[in-house]
Amino acid sequence: IVLDSNGDIELNTNSGNLLIKDDATQFIKFTNNSGNCEVYNGAADKNIIFKDTGGNNILTINGTDESIVANKGTITSLYSNTLGVNGNVSGNEKLYVNGDARITGLLKVNGSITVVHTDSTTTEQISVTNDGTGPAFYAKQTGAQPIAKFDDENGTQVIIDDHGLTGFGGVTSPAHQVDIQSSGTGGSAKIPLKVKQADESTCIMKIEGKAVSGNITKSIVVDSSDVTRAEIKGYMK
């Protein structure tokens, strides 16, 4: 049956259902549900497939796992202001996900990444490789909290506080620009600071003070109140 009309072709049903069948077997149904158009396939766990004139799948509505599958190897572009997933969109971002998101594979971001909330967790390592303008890693703390903190199973090992004071070896509240605490006691005690210079033409350590008139009252302070002997030996400039 060929319907050929110069105007509209109208199919009108008082039941609210429009059924299309193949030899008495329904394969698609359109239903009017309070003004909403509902589309049903012919049977449970069956798909609704959109194809091109060559028979290639463009889009599949999977009836088994209730998902939408685009044809593999194609790029799907959504020309809208924002795509919202799992809830109403409440931002100006191009993609808004209301809930958790998981990516299995490589995530590439061309541009900056902003973490709004303070909790950021990863179960594996974070590796940063920069082949452009540095620095490779940049952290900015705007509140009165440490800039960076590194812990292991024994507690805090490195901390950079809000004023840039840095603590090593378990120092949690550094009081100096570099605050180092030795770990262990007796034969297992660790040297707090070791500087090794392979080039004998240069000094091992160089300490520069401010040019002042008269005698310098403070340069190197050795606090020996809790030890029997304190020495500074070696080549120091």
Side-chain angles (χ1 to χ4, degrees):
I1 299 176
V2 178
L3 301 178
D4 190 354
S5 171
N6 291 328
D8 298 336
I9 297 178
E10 179 179 320
L11 301 177
N12 194 341
T13 171
N14 290 331
S15 67
N17 297 318
L18 178 62
L19 291 75
I20 301 178
K21 298 183 178 182
D22 177 19
D23 194 18
T25 300
Q26 173 192 311
F27 62 88
I28 195 167
K29 179 178 72 171
F30 299 91
T31 297
N32 176 20
N33 186 355
S34 300
N36 298 317
C37 179
E38 297 179 348
V39 182
Y40 296 82
N41 57 1
D45 299 333
K46 293 297 183 178
N47 304 333
I48 298 178
I49 304 173
F50 296 86
K51 295 190 175 187
D52 62 10
T53 56
N56 300 311
N57 288 9
I58 300 300
L59 191 68
T60 300
I61 302 176
N62 192 310
T64 302
D65 56 10
E66 300 176 350
S67 64
I68 298 177
V69 182
N71 186 27
K72 294 181 179 180
T74 62
I75 299 175
T76 302
S77 298
L78 299 175
Y79 292 94
S80 61
N81 292 329
T82 303
L83 172 63
V85 179
N86 192 28
N88 295 328
V89 174
S90 62
N92 297 322
E93 294 80 5
K94 295 300 182 183
L95 173 63
Y96 186 91
V97 180
N98 184 16
D100 298 335
R102 172 177 291 185
I103 297 176
T104 302
L106 179 63
L107 173 64
K108 292 184 177 181
V109 179
N110 294 331
S112 60
I113 299 177
T114 301
V115 180
V116 179
H117 297 290
T118 55
D119 294 334
S120 181
T121 304
T122 179
T123 57
E124 298 292 340
Q125 66 177 219
I126 297 177
S127 178
V128 180
T129 301
N130 179 35
D131 59 358
T133 303
F137 179 78
Y138 174 80
K140 181 178 181 180
Q141 170 64 32
T142 57
Q145 296 295 325
I147 300 173
K149 186 170 177 281
F150 301 90
D151 294 358
D152 66 3
E153 65 276 6
N154 298 318
T156 300
Q157 300 304 321
V158 180
I159 185 171
I160 304 174
D161 77 355
D162 185 46
H163 302 288
L165 305 182
T166 305
F168 295 90
V171 177
T172 57
S173 299
H176 310 283
Q177 201 68 46
V178 178
D179 205 334
I180 304 175
Q181 175 178 287
S182 175
S183 61
T185 58
S188 62
K190 301 296 188 297
I191 298 175
L193 178 63
K194 179 181 179 181
V195 181
K196 184 177 181 181
Q197 174 59 270
D199 187 356
E200 62 181 11
S201 63
T202 58
C203 58
I204 297 176
M205 182 180 295
K206 181 180 181 181
I207 302 175
E208 293 185 352
K210 182 179 181 181
V212 295
S213 60
N215 296 328
I216 298 177
T217 58
K218 290 184 178 180
S219 56
I220 300 175
V221 178
V222 179
D223 185 356
S224 58
S225 59
D226 295 329
V227 296
T228 303
R229 182 180 61 189
E231 293 181 336
I232 298 178
K233 59 183 181 179
Y235 175 32
M236 180 177 290
K237 180 180 180 182

